[in-house]
PDB file of all heavy atoms in Angstrom:
ATOM      1  N   SER J   1      20.403   6.819  -0.671  1.00 67.00           N
ATOM      2  CA  SER J   1      20.576   6.815   0.784  1.00 67.00           C
ATOM      3  C   SER J   1      20.322   5.459   1.392  1.00 67.00           C
ATOM      4  O   SER J   1      20.411   5.267   2.619  1.00 67.00           O
ATOM      5  CB  SER J   1      19.617   7.852   1.432  1.00 67.00           C
ATOM      6  OG  SER J   1      19.868   9.156   0.920  1.00 67.00           O
ATOM      7  N   GLY J   2      19.940   4.493   0.570  1.00 59.00           N
ATOM      8  CA  GLY J   2      19.687   3.156   1.050  1.00 59.00           C
ATOM      9  C   GLY J   2      18.320   3.023   1.711  1.00 59.00           C
ATOM     10  O   GLY J   2      18.087   2.058   2.453  1.00 59.00           O
ATOM     11  N   LYS J   3      17.400   3.963   1.435  1.00 59.00           N
ATOM     12  CA  LYS J   3      16.100   3.922   2.043  1.00 59.00           C
ATOM     13  C   LYS J   3      15.103   3.337   1.045  1.00 59.00           C
ATOM     14  O   LYS J   3      15.309   3.349  -0.154  1.00 59.00           O
ATOM     15  CB  LYS J   3      15.647   5.319   2.467  1.00 59.00           C
ATOM     16  CG  LYS J   3      16.567   5.952   3.489  1.00 59.00           C
ATOM     17  CD  LYS J   3      16.104   7.387   3.807  1.00 59.00           C
ATOM     18  CE  LYS J   3      16.996   8.035   4.847  1.00 59.00           C
ATOM     19  NZ  LYS J   3      16.549   9.420   5.171  1.00 59.00           N
ATOM     20  N   THR J   4      13.992   2.815   1.589  1.00 55.00           N
ATOM     21  CA  THR J   4      12.968   2.271   0.691  1.00 55.00           C
ATOM     22  C   THR J   4      12.277   3.384  -0.020  1.00 55.00           C
ATOM     23  O   THR J   4      12.110   4.480   0.501  1.00 55.00           O
ATOM     24  CB  THR J   4      11.940   1.470   1.513  1.00 55.00           C
ATOM     25  OG1 THR J   4      11.357   2.304   2.498  1.00 55.00           O
ATOM     26  CG2 THR J   4      12.565   0.282   2.184  1.00 55.00           C
ATOM     27  N   TYR J   5      11.860   3.124  -1.242  1.00 54.00           N
ATOM     28  CA  TYR J   5      11.159   4.137  -2.021  1.00 54.00           C
ATOM     29  C   TYR J   5       9.936   3.553  -2.729  1.00 54.00           C
ATOM     30  O   TYR J   5       9.553   4.006  -3.781  1.00 54.00           O
ATOM     31  CB  TYR J   5      12.099   4.782  -3.047  1.00 54.00           C
ATOM     32  CG  TYR J   5      12.830   3.825  -3.938  1.00 54.00           C
ATOM     33  CD1 TYR J   5      12.348   3.546  -5.219  1.00 54.00           C
ATOM     34  CD2 TYR J   5      13.994   3.195  -3.516  1.00 54.00           C
ATOM     35  CE1 TYR J   5      13.015   2.706  -6.061  1.00 54.00           C
ATOM     36  CE2 TYR J   5      14.664   2.325  -4.332  1.00 54.00           C
ATOM     37  CZ  TYR J   5      14.172   2.091  -5.609  1.00 54.00           C
ATOM     38  OH  TYR J   5      14.860   1.208  -6.447  1.00 54.00           O
ATOM     39  N   CYS J   6       9.356   2.527  -2.138  1.00 55.00           N
ATOM     40  CA  CYS J   6       8.107   1.974  -2.662  1.00 55.00           C
ATOM     41  C   CYS J   6       7.344   1.331  -1.500  1.00 55.00           C
ATOM     42  O   CYS J   6       7.870   1.193  -0.413  1.00 55.00           O
ATOM     43  CB  CYS J   6       8.381   0.919  -3.757  1.00 55.00           C
ATOM     44  SG  CYS J   6       9.306  -0.530  -3.141  1.00 55.00           S
ATOM     45  N   LYS J   7       6.081   0.959  -1.767  1.00 60.00           N
ATOM     46  CA  LYS J   7       5.289   0.323  -0.717  1.00 60.00           C
ATOM     47  C   LYS J   7       5.848  -1.050  -0.387  1.00 60.00           C
ATOM     48  O   LYS J   7       6.386  -1.736  -1.257  1.00 60.00           O
ATOM     49  CB  LYS J   7       3.840   0.190  -1.204  1.00 60.00           C
ATOM     50  CG  LYS J   7       3.162   1.523  -1.471  1.00 60.00           C
ATOM     51  CD  LYS J   7       1.761   1.313  -1.959  1.00 60.00           C
ATOM     52  CE  LYS J   7       1.091   2.641  -2.262  1.00 60.00           C
ATOM     53  NZ  LYS J   7      -0.290   2.448  -2.787  1.00 60.00           N
ATOM     54  N   ARG J   8       5.721  -1.462   0.858  1.00 66.00           N
ATOM     55  CA  ARG J   8       6.232  -2.773   1.284  1.00 66.00           C
ATOM     56  C   ARG J   8       5.416  -3.882   0.654  1.00 66.00           C
ATOM     57  O   ARG J   8       4.199  -3.850   0.621  1.00 66.00           O
ATOM     58  CB  ARG J   8       6.164  -2.862   2.803  1.00 66.00           C
ATOM     59  CG  ARG J   8       6.724  -4.187   3.347  1.00 66.00           C
ATOM     60  CD  ARG J   8       6.676  -4.219   4.858  1.00 66.00           C
ATOM     61  NE  ARG J   8       5.354  -4.436   5.372  1.00 66.00           N
ATOM     62  CZ  ARG J   8       4.809  -5.657   5.512  1.00 66.00           C
ATOM     63  NH1 ARG J   8       5.457  -6.731   5.138  1.00 66.00           N
ATOM     64  NH2 ARG J   8       3.617  -5.777   6.032  1.00 66.00           N
ATOM     65  N   LEU J   9       6.121  -4.870   0.113  1.00 75.00           N
ATOM     66  CA  LEU J   9       5.459  -6.019  -0.471  1.00 75.00           C
ATOM     67  C   LEU J   9       4.978  -6.941   0.620  1.00 75.00           C
ATOM     68  O   LEU J   9       5.706  -7.184   1.598  1.00 75.00           O
ATOM     69  CB  LEU J   9       6.406  -6.750  -1.414  1.00 75.00           C
ATOM     70  CG  LEU J   9       6.881  -6.012  -2.653  1.00 75.00           C
ATOM     71  CD1 LEU J   9       7.896  -6.847  -3.416  1.00 75.00           C
ATOM     72  CD2 LEU J   9       5.697  -5.664  -3.542  1.00 75.00           C
ATOM     73  N   TYR J  10       3.764  -7.473   0.479  1.00 81.00           N
ATOM     74  CA  TYR J  10       3.249  -8.412   1.486  1.00 81.00           C
ATOM     75  C   TYR J  10       4.132  -9.664   1.531  1.00 81.00           C
ATOM     76  O   TYR J  10       4.472 -10.238   0.481  1.00 81.00           O
ATOM     77  CB  TYR J  10       1.809  -8.796   1.146  1.00 81.00           C
ATOM     78  CG  TYR J  10       1.141  -9.617   2.224  1.00 81.00           C
ATOM     79  CD1 TYR J  10       0.619  -9.012   3.352  1.00 81.00           C
ATOM     80  CD2 TYR J  10       1.015 -10.987   2.097  1.00 81.00           C
ATOM     81  CE1 TYR J  10       0.021  -9.741   4.348  1.00 81.00           C
ATOM     82  CE2 TYR J  10       0.404 -11.736   3.085  1.00 81.00           C
ATOM     83  CZ  TYR J  10      -0.109 -11.109   4.215  1.00 81.00           C
ATOM     84  OH  TYR J  10      -0.706 -11.843   5.215  1.00 81.00           O
ATOM     85  N   GLY J  11       4.538 -10.043   2.729  1.00 83.00           N
ATOM     86  CA  GLY J  11       5.396 -11.199   2.885  1.00 83.00           C
ATOM     87  C   GLY J  11       6.850 -10.858   3.084  1.00 83.00           C
ATOM     88  O   GLY J  11       7.680 -11.742   3.291  1.00 83.00           O
ATOM     89  N   TRP J  12       7.132  -9.548   3.024  1.00 80.00           N
ATOM     90  CA  TRP J  12       8.510  -9.083   3.165  1.00 80.00           C
ATOM     91  C   TRP J  12       8.586  -7.892   4.136  1.00 80.00           C
ATOM     92  O   TRP J  12       7.618  -7.151   4.282  1.00 80.00           O
ATOM     93  CB  TRP J  12       9.095  -8.656   1.816  1.00 80.00           C
ATOM     94  CG  TRP J  12       9.172  -9.779   0.835  1.00 80.00           C
ATOM     95  CD1 TRP J  12       8.159 -10.234   0.031  1.00 80.00           C
ATOM     96  CD2 TRP J  12      10.298 -10.608   0.547  1.00 80.00           C
ATOM     97  NE1 TRP J  12       8.586 -11.289  -0.750  1.00 80.00           N
ATOM     98  CE2 TRP J  12       9.897 -11.542  -0.445  1.00 80.00           C
ATOM     99  CE3 TRP J  12      11.595 -10.656   1.024  1.00 80.00           C
ATOM    100  CZ2 TRP J  12      10.763 -12.495  -0.968  1.00 80.00           C
ATOM    101  CZ3 TRP J  12      12.466 -11.603   0.498  1.00 80.00           C
ATOM    102  CH2 TRP J  12      12.054 -12.512  -0.459  1.00 80.00           C
ATOM    103  N   ILE J  13       9.726  -7.726   4.764  1.00 79.00           N
ATOM    104  CA  ILE J  13       9.953  -6.571   5.629  1.00 79.00           C
ATOM    105  C   ILE J  13      11.321  -5.966   5.270  1.00 79.00           C
ATOM    106  O   ILE J  13      12.163  -6.628   4.644  1.00 79.00           O
ATOM    107  CB  ILE J  13       9.948  -6.975   7.124  1.00 79.00           C
ATOM    108  CG1 ILE J  13      10.990  -8.058   7.405  1.00 79.00           C
ATOM    109  CG2 ILE J  13       8.570  -7.386   7.585  1.00 79.00           C
ATOM    110  CD1 ILE J  13      11.098  -8.410   8.888  1.00 79.00           C
ATOM    111  N   VAL J  14      11.493  -4.725   5.640  1.00 70.00           N
ATOM    112  CA  VAL J  14      12.738  -4.034   5.362  1.00 70.00           C
ATOM    113  C   VAL J  14      13.669  -4.150   6.575  1.00 70.00           C
ATOM    114  O   VAL J  14      13.336  -3.722   7.670  1.00 70.00           O
ATOM    115  CB  VAL J  14      12.501  -2.551   5.044  1.00 70.00           C
ATOM    116  CG1 VAL J  14      13.813  -1.861   4.731  1.00 70.00           C
ATOM    117  CG2 VAL J  14      11.499  -2.417   3.873  1.00 70.00           C
ATOM    118  N   GLY J  15      14.839  -4.740   6.336  1.00 66.00           N
ATOM    119  CA  GLY J  15      15.796  -4.890   7.440  1.00 66.00           C
ATOM    120  C   GLY J  15      16.864  -3.785   7.407  1.00 66.00           C
ATOM    121  O   GLY J  15      16.690  -2.734   6.800  1.00 66.00           O
ATOM    122  N   LYS J  16      17.977  -4.045   8.044  1.00 64.00           N
ATOM    123  CA  LYS J  16      19.062  -3.066   8.071  1.00 64.00           C
ATOM    124  C   LYS J  16      19.630  -2.846   6.682  1.00 64.00           C
ATOM    125  O   LYS J  16      19.749  -3.776   5.895  1.00 64.00           O
ATOM    126  CB  LYS J  16      20.165  -3.545   9.024  1.00 64.00           C
ATOM    127  CG  LYS J  16      19.750  -3.592  10.498  1.00 64.00           C
ATOM    128  CD  LYS J  16      20.894  -4.025  11.374  1.00 64.00           C
ATOM    129  CE  LYS J  16      20.479  -4.047  12.848  1.00 64.00           C
ATOM    130  NZ  LYS J  16      21.615  -4.470  13.707  1.00 64.00           N
ATOM    131  N   GLY J  17      19.985  -1.578   6.430  1.00 57.00           N
ATOM    132  CA  GLY J  17      20.551  -1.273   5.121  1.00 57.00           C
ATOM    133  C   GLY J  17      19.544  -1.393   3.992  1.00 57.00           C
ATOM    134  O   GLY J  17      19.907  -1.566   2.816  1.00 57.00           O
ATOM    135  N   ALA J  18      18.264  -1.325   4.344  1.00 56.00           N
ATOM    136  CA  ALA J  18      17.152  -1.405   3.350  1.00 56.00           C
ATOM    137  C   ALA J  18      17.068  -2.767   2.684  1.00 56.00           C
ATOM    138  O   ALA J  18      16.449  -2.904   1.622  1.00 56.00           O
ATOM    139  CB  ALA J  18      17.292  -0.303   2.301  1.00 56.00           C
ATOM    140  N   ALA J  19      17.704  -3.789   3.290  1.00 63.00           N
ATOM    141  CA  ALA J  19      17.649  -5.128   2.709  1.00 63.00           C
ATOM    142  C   ALA J  19      16.277  -5.756   3.001  1.00 63.00           C
ATOM    143  O   ALA J  19      15.723  -5.586   4.082  1.00 63.00           O
ATOM    144  CB  ALA J  19      18.735  -6.007   3.319  1.00 63.00           C
ATOM    145  N   MET J  20      15.725  -6.458   2.019  1.00 68.00           N
ATOM    146  CA  MET J  20      14.424  -7.100   2.169  1.00 68.00           C
ATOM    147  C   MET J  20      14.569  -8.466   2.817  1.00 68.00           C
ATOM    148  O   MET J  20      15.432  -9.259   2.429  1.00 68.00           O
ATOM    149  CB  MET J  20      13.746  -7.228   0.819  1.00 68.00           C
ATOM    150  CG  MET J  20      13.509  -5.904   0.081  1.00 68.00           C
ATOM    151  SD  MET J  20      12.411  -4.804   0.984  1.00 68.00           S
ATOM    152  CE  MET J  20      10.860  -5.686   0.815  1.00 68.00           C
ATOM    153  N   LYS J  21      13.746  -8.724   3.806  1.00 78.00           N
ATOM    154  CA  LYS J  21      13.771 -10.001   4.504  1.00 78.00           C
ATOM    155  C   LYS J  21      12.378 -10.599   4.532  1.00 78.00           C
ATOM    156  O   LYS J  21      11.379  -9.893   4.474  1.00 78.00           O
ATOM    157  CB  LYS J  21      14.282  -9.821   5.936  1.00 78.00           C
ATOM    158  CG  LYS J  21      15.723  -9.342   6.036  1.00 78.00           C
ATOM    159  CD  LYS J  21      16.165  -9.271   7.506  1.00 78.00           C
ATOM    160  CE  LYS J  21      17.621  -8.848   7.623  1.00 78.00           C
ATOM    161  NZ  LYS J  21      18.039  -8.780   9.033  1.00 78.00           N
ATOM    162  N   LEU J  22      12.320 -11.943   4.628  1.00 83.00           N
ATOM    163  CA  LEU J  22      11.049 -12.628   4.648  1.00 83.00           C
ATOM    164  C   LEU J  22      10.297 -12.323   5.967  1.00 83.00           C
ATOM    165  O   LEU J  22      10.904 -12.291   7.042  1.00 83.00           O
ATOM    166  CB  LEU J  22      11.256 -14.129   4.530  1.00 83.00           C
ATOM    167  CG  LEU J  22      11.741 -14.640   3.182  1.00 83.00           C
ATOM    168  CD1 LEU J  22      12.020 -16.145   3.279  1.00 83.00           C
ATOM    169  CD2 LEU J  22      10.712 -14.371   2.092  1.00 83.00           C
ATOM    170  N   HIS J  23       8.995 -12.105   5.858  1.00 85.00           N
ATOM    171  CA  HIS J  23       8.141 -11.947   7.022  1.00 85.00           C
ATOM    172  C   HIS J  23       7.507 -13.309   7.276  1.00 85.00           C
ATOM    173  O   HIS J  23       6.650 -13.775   6.520  1.00 85.00           O
ATOM    174  CB  HIS J  23       7.070 -10.871   6.754  1.00 85.00           C
ATOM    175  CG  HIS J  23       6.230 -10.556   7.947  1.00 85.00           C
ATOM    176  ND1 HIS J  23       5.383 -11.465   8.542  1.00 85.00           N
ATOM    177  CD2 HIS J  23       6.093  -9.377   8.647  1.00 85.00           C
ATOM    178  CE1 HIS J  23       4.761 -10.881   9.557  1.00 85.00           C
ATOM    179  NE2 HIS J  23       5.197  -9.627   9.659  1.00 85.00           N
ATOM    180  N   THR J  24       7.967 -13.993   8.330  1.00 87.00           N
ATOM    181  CA  THR J  24       7.547 -15.369   8.572  1.00 87.00           C
ATOM    182  C   THR J  24       6.049 -15.579   8.594  1.00 87.00           C
ATOM    183  O   THR J  24       5.491 -16.458   7.944  1.00 87.00           O
ATOM    184  CB  THR J  24       8.137 -15.886   9.913  1.00 87.00           C
ATOM    185  OG1 THR J  24       9.569 -15.682   9.893  1.00 87.00           O
ATOM    186  CG2 THR J  24       7.818 -17.353  10.097  1.00 87.00           C
ATOM    187  N   GLY J  25       5.348 -14.726   9.340  1.00 88.00           N
ATOM    188  CA  GLY J  25       3.887 -14.854   9.475  1.00 88.00           C
ATOM    189  C   GLY J  25       3.161 -14.650   8.160  1.00 88.00           C
ATOM    190  O   GLY J  25       2.278 -15.445   7.778  1.00 88.00           O
ATOM    191  N   GLU J  26       3.534 -13.637   7.412  1.00 89.00           N
ATOM    192  CA  GLU J  26       2.882 -13.383   6.152  1.00 89.00           C
ATOM    193  C   GLU J  26       3.234 -14.402   5.079  1.00 89.00           C
ATOM    194  O   GLU J  26       2.421 -14.720   4.229  1.00 89.00           O
ATOM    195  CB  GLU J  26       3.245 -11.965   5.680  1.00 89.00           C
ATOM    196  CG  GLU J  26       2.649 -10.872   6.596  1.00 89.00           C
ATOM    197  CD  GLU J  26       3.010  -9.477   6.138  1.00 89.00           C
ATOM    198  OE1 GLU J  26       3.806  -9.341   5.180  1.00 89.00           O
ATOM    199  OE2 GLU J  26       2.508  -8.517   6.737  1.00 89.00           O
ATOM    200  N   GLN J  27       4.457 -14.946   5.158  1.00 89.00           N
ATOM    201  CA  GLN J  27       4.829 -15.976   4.201  1.00 89.00           C
ATOM    202  C   GLN J  27       3.977 -17.243   4.437  1.00 89.00           C
ATOM    203  O   GLN J  27       3.636 -17.950   3.496  1.00 89.00           O
ATOM    204  CB  GLN J  27       6.306 -16.339   4.344  1.00 89.00           C
ATOM    205  CG  GLN J  27       7.259 -15.295   3.774  1.00 89.00           C
ATOM    206  CD  GLN J  27       7.158 -15.176   2.264  1.00 89.00           C
ATOM    207  OE1 GLN J  27       6.866 -16.170   1.578  1.00 89.00           O
ATOM    208  NE2 GLN J  27       7.389 -13.982   1.720  1.00 89.00           N
ATOM    209  N   ALA J  28       3.632 -17.480   5.713  1.00 91.00           N
ATOM    210  CA  ALA J  28       2.761 -18.613   6.031  1.00 91.00           C
ATOM    211  C   ALA J  28       1.371 -18.403   5.420  1.00 91.00           C
ATOM    212  O   ALA J  28       0.730 -19.357   4.934  1.00 91.00           O
ATOM    213  CB  ALA J  28       2.652 -18.788   7.534  1.00 91.00           C
ATOM    214  N   VAL J  29       0.900 -17.167   5.457  1.00 92.00           N
ATOM    215  CA  VAL J  29      -0.406 -16.849   4.852  1.00 92.00           C
ATOM    216  C   VAL J  29      -0.354 -17.060   3.359  1.00 92.00           C
ATOM    217  O   VAL J  29      -1.290 -17.619   2.763  1.00 92.00           O
ATOM    218  CB  VAL J  29      -0.807 -15.387   5.162  1.00 92.00           C
ATOM    219  CG1 VAL J  29      -2.079 -15.045   4.425  1.00 92.00           C
ATOM    220  CG2 VAL J  29      -0.973 -15.199   6.655  1.00 92.00           C
ATOM    221  N   ILE J  30       0.728 -16.633   2.714  1.00 91.00           N
ATOM    222  CA  ILE J  30       0.895 -16.821   1.288  1.00 91.00           C
ATOM    223  C   ILE J  30       0.895 -18.302   0.938  1.00 91.00           C
ATOM    224  O   ILE J  30       0.276 -18.725  -0.046  1.00 91.00           O
ATOM    225  CB  ILE J  30       2.205 -16.157   0.807  1.00 91.00           C
ATOM    226  CG1 ILE J  30       2.123 -14.622   0.949  1.00 91.00           C
ATOM    227  CG2 ILE J  30       2.512 -16.528  -0.650  1.00 91.00           C
ATOM    228  CD1 ILE J  30       3.409 -13.881   0.645  1.00 91.00           C
ATOM    229  N   SER J  31       1.563 -19.119   1.744  1.00 91.00           N
ATOM    230  CA  SER J  31       1.618 -20.559   1.505  1.00 91.00           C
ATOM    231  C   SER J  31       0.214 -21.158   1.628  1.00 91.00           C
ATOM    232  O   SER J  31      -0.165 -22.028   0.828  1.00 91.00           O
ATOM    233  CB  SER J  31       2.548 -21.225   2.523  1.00 91.00           C
ATOM    234  OG  SER J  31       3.877 -20.792   2.367  1.00 91.00           O
ATOM    235  N   LYS J  32      -0.569 -20.672   2.609  1.00 91.00           N
ATOM    236  CA  LYS J  32      -1.941 -21.170   2.778  1.00 91.00           C
ATOM    237  C   LYS J  32      -2.790 -20.778   1.594  1.00 91.00           C
ATOM    238  O   LYS J  32      -3.623 -21.591   1.126  1.00 91.00           O
ATOM    239  CB  LYS J  32      -2.529 -20.575   4.060  1.00 91.00           C
ATOM    240  CG  LYS J  32      -3.895 -21.144   4.408  1.00 91.00           C
ATOM    241  CD  LYS J  32      -3.816 -22.656   4.685  1.00 91.00           C
ATOM    242  CE  LYS J  32      -5.143 -23.242   5.058  1.00 91.00           C
ATOM    243  NZ  LYS J  32      -5.060 -24.692   5.316  1.00 91.00           N
ATOM    244  N   ILE J  33      -2.615 -19.586   1.068  1.00 92.00           N
ATOM    245  CA  ILE J  33      -3.372 -19.141  -0.094  1.00 92.00           C
ATOM    246  C   ILE J  33      -3.061 -20.034  -1.305  1.00 92.00           C
ATOM    247  O   ILE J  33      -3.965 -20.441  -2.035  1.00 92.00           O
ATOM    248  CB  ILE J  33      -3.050 -17.677  -0.423  1.00 92.00           C
ATOM    249  CG1 ILE J  33      -3.604 -16.751   0.693  1.00 92.00           C
ATOM    250  CG2 ILE J  33      -3.622 -17.268  -1.775  1.00 92.00           C
ATOM    251  CD1 ILE J  33      -3.214 -15.308   0.527  1.00 92.00           C
ATOM    252  N   ARG J  34      -1.786 -20.343  -1.479  1.00 91.00           N
ATOM    253  CA  ARG J  34      -1.386 -21.193  -2.585  1.00 91.00           C
ATOM    254  C   ARG J  34      -1.975 -22.599  -2.429  1.00 91.00           C
ATOM    255  O   ARG J  34      -2.399 -23.234  -3.403  1.00 91.00           O
ATOM    256  CB  ARG J  34       0.142 -21.290  -2.654  1.00 91.00           C
ATOM    257  CG  ARG J  34       0.809 -20.010  -3.167  1.00 91.00           C
ATOM    258  CD  ARG J  34       2.311 -20.077  -3.033  1.00 91.00           C
ATOM    259  NE  ARG J  34       2.944 -18.889  -3.610  1.00 91.00           N
ATOM    260  CZ  ARG J  34       4.216 -18.573  -3.394  1.00 91.00           C
ATOM    261  NH1 ARG J  34       4.997 -19.357  -2.662  1.00 91.00           N
ATOM    262  NH2 ARG J  34       4.721 -17.462  -3.956  1.00 91.00           N
ATOM    263  N   GLU J  35      -2.006 -23.062  -1.201  1.00 91.00           N
ATOM    264  CA  GLU J  35      -2.590 -24.392  -0.921  1.00 91.00           C
ATOM    265  C   GLU J  35      -4.074 -24.395  -1.296  1.00 91.00           C
ATOM    266  O   GLU J  35      -4.548 -25.356  -1.940  1.00 91.00           O
ATOM    267  CB  GLU J  35      -2.407 -24.738   0.558  1.00 91.00           C
ATOM    268  CG  GLU J  35      -3.052 -26.070   0.949  1.00 91.00           C
ATOM    269  CD  GLU J  35      -3.001 -26.286   2.440  1.00 91.00           C
ATOM    270  OE1 GLU J  35      -2.185 -25.640   3.133  1.00 91.00           O
ATOM    271  OE2 GLU J  35      -3.794 -27.118   2.936  1.00 91.00           O
ATOM    272  N   LEU J  36      -4.796 -23.395  -0.867  1.00 91.00           N
ATOM    273  CA  LEU J  36      -6.223 -23.316  -1.148  1.00 91.00           C
ATOM    274  C   LEU J  36      -6.480 -23.184  -2.664  1.00 91.00           C
ATOM    275  O   LEU J  36      -7.438 -23.768  -3.186  1.00 91.00           O
ATOM    276  CB  LEU J  36      -6.850 -22.144  -0.415  1.00 91.00           C
ATOM    277  CG  LEU J  36      -6.858 -22.274   1.123  1.00 91.00           C
ATOM    278  CD1 LEU J  36      -7.342 -20.956   1.765  1.00 91.00           C
ATOM    279  CD2 LEU J  36      -7.767 -23.438   1.551  1.00 91.00           C
ATOM    280  N   ARG J  37      -5.637 -22.457  -3.360  1.00 90.00           N
ATOM    281  CA  ARG J  37      -5.796 -22.322  -4.801  1.00 90.00           C
ATOM    282  C   ARG J  37      -5.567 -23.663  -5.500  1.00 90.00           C
ATOM    283  O   ARG J  37      -6.228 -23.972  -6.488  1.00 90.00           O
ATOM    284  CB  ARG J  37      -4.812 -21.285  -5.340  1.00 90.00           C
ATOM    285  CG  ARG J  37      -5.205 -19.865  -5.049  1.00 90.00           C
ATOM    286  CD  ARG J  37      -6.509 -19.462  -5.721  1.00 90.00           C
ATOM    287  NE  ARG J  37      -6.338 -19.247  -7.139  1.00 90.00           N
ATOM    288  CZ  ARG J  37      -7.331 -19.044  -8.002  1.00 90.00           C
ATOM    289  NH1 ARG J  37      -8.584 -19.106  -7.576  1.00 90.00           N
ATOM    290  NH2 ARG J  37      -7.114 -18.842  -9.273  1.00 90.00           N
ATOM    291  N   SER J  38      -4.621 -24.445  -4.977  1.00 90.00           N
ATOM    292  CA  SER J  38      -4.345 -25.763  -5.550  1.00 90.00           C
ATOM    293  C   SER J  38      -5.531 -26.696  -5.375  1.00 90.00           C
ATOM    294  O   SER J  38      -5.652 -27.685  -6.105  1.00 90.00           O
ATOM    295  CB  SER J  38      -3.079 -26.357  -4.926  1.00 90.00           C
ATOM    296  OG  SER J  38      -3.319 -26.693  -3.551  1.00 90.00           O
ATOM    297  N   LEU J  39      -6.384 -26.383  -4.394  1.00 90.00           N
ATOM    298  CA  LEU J  39      -7.594 -27.162  -4.142  1.00 90.00           C
ATOM    299  C   LEU J  39      -8.792 -26.589  -4.901  1.00 90.00           C
ATOM    300  O   LEU J  39      -9.954 -26.919  -4.603  1.00 90.00           O
ATOM    301  CB  LEU J  39      -7.893 -27.211  -2.652  1.00 90.00           C
ATOM    302  CG  LEU J  39      -6.821 -27.886  -1.785  1.00 90.00           C
ATOM    303  CD1 LEU J  39      -7.157 -27.738  -0.305  1.00 90.00           C
ATOM    304  CD2 LEU J  39      -6.656 -29.354  -2.159  1.00 90.00           C
ATOM    305  N   ASN J  40      -8.504 -25.692  -5.838  1.00 88.00           N
ATOM    306  CA  ASN J  40      -9.528 -25.069  -6.683  1.00 88.00           C
ATOM    307  C   ASN J  40     -10.515 -24.192  -5.898  1.00 88.00           C
ATOM    308  O   ASN J  40     -11.679 -24.037  -6.310  1.00 88.00           O
ATOM    309  CB  ASN J  40     -10.323 -26.143  -7.476  1.00 88.00           C
ATOM    310  CG  ASN J  40      -9.433 -26.868  -8.458  1.00 88.00           C
ATOM    311  OD1 ASN J  40      -8.574 -26.264  -9.108  1.00 88.00           O
ATOM    312  ND2 ASN J  40      -9.635 -28.169  -8.582  1.00 88.00           N
ATOM    313  N   ARG J  41     -10.043 -23.607  -4.812  1.00 88.00           N
ATOM    314  CA  ARG J  41     -10.887 -22.667  -4.074  1.00 88.00           C
ATOM    315  C   ARG J  41     -10.905 -21.336  -4.849  1.00 88.00           C
ATOM    316  O   ARG J  41      -9.895 -20.920  -5.384  1.00 88.00           O
ATOM    317  CB  ARG J  41     -10.355 -22.419  -2.654  1.00 88.00           C
ATOM    318  CG  ARG J  41     -10.345 -23.655  -1.761  1.00 88.00           C
ATOM    319  CD  ARG J  41     -11.770 -24.111  -1.436  1.00 88.00           C
ATOM    320  NE  ARG J  41     -11.772 -25.112  -0.384  1.00 88.00           N
ATOM    321  CZ  ARG J  41     -11.625 -26.420  -0.590  1.00 88.00           C
ATOM    322  NH1 ARG J  41     -11.442 -26.859  -1.822  1.00 88.00           N
ATOM    323  NH2 ARG J  41     -11.629 -27.261   0.428  1.00 88.00           N
TER     324      ARG J  41
END
């Protein structure tokens, strides 16, 4: 039916036709996490 059948992945949202799209705010958080990890946090 084109509907989602799993939990939403952090950093993504479900758009029209069940297509996955980037969640701008959460992607920024993911980038920050990667940055902190690169600094050995």
Side-chain angles (χ1 to χ4, degrees):
S1 301
K3 299 179 180 179
T4 57
Y5 53 97
C6 63
K7 297 179 182 178
R8 182 178 75 84
L9 295 176
Y10 188 78
W12 298 82
I13 56 176
V14 181
K16 293 182 179 180
M20 300 298 290
K21 295 183 178 181
L22 292 174
H23 186 295
T24 305
E26 293 179 355
Q27 285 294 329
V29 174
I30 294 174
S31 296
K32 186 62 178 180
I33 292 174
R34 288 173 176 166
E35 176 187 341
L36 294 173
R37 285 295 286 171
S38 68
L39 297 175
N40 295 321
R41 297 292 191 273

